[in-house]
Amino acid sequence: MTDLIRTWAGTTPLVLDSPHSGTFYPDDFQHACDLAVLRQAEDTHVDKLYDFAPALGVAWVEALFPRSYLDANRNTTEIDTSLLDGAWPGPVATDPAVLSKVRLGKGLIWRSTDGGLPIYQRRLGVAEVQERIERCWVPYHAAVAQAIDAAHARHGYSLHINCHSMPAVASSHATDFPGEAHADFVVGNRDHSTSSPALAELICEHLRGLGYSVALNHPYKGVELVRRYSHPASHRHSIQLEINRKLYMDESTLEPNAGFDGLRAHLQTLVQRLLTVDPRGL
């Protein structure tokens, strides 16, 4: 654990990580927009929804820093150069699909909130961004990679669930589908490139069996963490799981609602189901 990352080692093939539930806002953030508005970007309470996992032998990695400070689910090439006070010395992504989030203000370092409000009234120093990468991105990714490698070494396969939440309705600058009402869950495996189709369908079927509406690969397919650490042909499976926030919290106050405990119990049944799955036999 570093000062901005929390980890628990596991003994099972399953690894969970939560890159966006952090609520510690570093002093050097120096954001200009109101903190209450900025906090709407958090996957608030996702860490608490899965707090049963370590006791089941599931590895856990959690960012304590907020995604608006640095988004660990982005590649370090997803740099919004318009934010900087100088030239970026490293590579910068040029793929239009990758840059779609940068255009929305949601690169590695966010430029704007989901509602389109500017986060800064200043340029960020190149060295300042590099420091955030070294303090946040590098150790977070190292922890996820180590947990998955350890699970795979123990069992010959690994299952990685990248844990997120989403607003009930997409905001104007959040996705390429503003105003879209979301399902209860979105399961993403980048069009079956980061996990077997059978594993994704198993998760969908389990959640639908609990009475939830579930979408597959729309509008969230999964981003950097599932892309980077998956290799289904080598029995390394990664899936992004998005939970609709209306199921467990008041999106305005960020307070848990009456559905929180029931949802947590249902997520535990999903985790327990995954602990019985060997994807090599699906």
Side-chain angles (χ1 to χ4, degrees):
M1 174 175 172
T2 73
D3 59 337
L4 290 178
I5 296 168
R6 181 179 290 132
T7 62
W8 281 273
T11 57
T12 69
L14 185 58
V15 175
L16 304 182
D17 86 287
S18 178
H20 293 160
S21 56
T23 60
F24 173 71
Y25 286 73
D27 291 339
D28 64 358
F29 197 161
Q30 297 178 26
H31 54 85
C33 65
D34 185 75
L35 179 61
V37 174
L38 200 55
R39 289 203 63 195
Q40 297 293 318
E42 299 169 3
D43 286 353
T44 315
H45 307 310
V46 164
D47 54 326
K48 301 178 184 67
L49 285 170
Y50 291 96
D51 63 6
F52 57 82
L56 297 176
V58 175
W60 175 261
V61 181
E62 171 192 349
L64 305 181
F65 55 88
R67 69 189 300 197
S68 52
Y69 179 74
L70 177 136
D71 192 337
N73 204 23
R74 298 278 175 258
N75 196 313
T76 53
T77 63
E78 293 179 64
I79 297 291
D80 189 336
T81 55
S82 70
L83 272 175
L84 304 179
D85 67 357
W88 183 249
V92 176
T94 57
D95 184 337
V98 172
L99 290 175
S100 66
K101 287 293 187 180
V102 175
R103 287 194 296 271
L104 289 169
K106 303 297 187 308
L108 179 72
I109 307 295
W110 280 28
R111 182 181 71 249
S112 61
T113 67
D114 281 342
L117 292 175
I119 292 176
Y120 300 99
Q121 290 181 345
R122 63 186 181 91
R123 298 278 185 174
L124 275 63
V126 168
E128 177 182 5
V129 173
Q130 291 173 320
E131 171 65 20
R132 291 190 194 185
I133 292 171
E134 289 301 314
R135 190 179 179 202
C136 300
W137 194 97
V138 170
Y140 190 86
H141 278 254
V144 172
Q146 189 278 329
I148 292 173
D149 285 347
H152 192 275
R154 282 192 303 266
H155 300 277
Y157 67 92
S158 58
L159 303 177
H160 166 220
I161 305 298
N162 184 226
C163 305
H164 294 267
S165 69
M166 58 187 172
V169 177
S171 300
S172 61
H173 290 65
T175 74
D176 291 327
F177 306 95
E180 180 168 320
H182 292 140
D184 293 330
F185 286 88
V186 176
V187 176
N189 68 352
R190 295 178 68 87
D191 296 323
H192 304 310
S193 66
T194 66
S195 83
S196 70
L199 181 62
E201 285 298 339
L202 182 149
I203 293 173
C204 290
E205 289 170 11
H206 185 91
L207 294 169
R208 288 178 183 134
L210 294 170
Y212 295 108
S213 60
V214 184
L216 179 61
N217 285 313
H218 179 83
Y220 303 104
K221 295 178 184 293
V223 199
E224 184 64 13
L225 283 155
V226 297
R227 184 200 69 80
R228 182 175 287 258
Y229 301 110
S230 62
H231 194 258
S234 301
H235 312 301
R236 294 172 180 260
H237 300 268
S238 291
I239 287 177
Q240 180 173 292
L241 185 62
E242 296 271 2
I243 304 171
N244 195 313
R245 292 174 192 155
K246 71 179 182 182
L247 296 175
Y248 71 91
M249 64 179 271
D250 183 310
E251 293 189 72
S252 298
T253 67
L254 308 185
E255 291 299 314
N257 64 24
F260 184 94
D261 290 339
L263 174 62
R264 180 181 178 276
H266 283 161
L267 289 171
Q268 185 162 346
T269 71
L270 174 62
V271 167
Q272 290 170 323
R273 175 75 178 92
L274 290 172
L275 291 175
T276 72
V277 171
D278 185 336
R280 296 170 295 188
L282 290 177

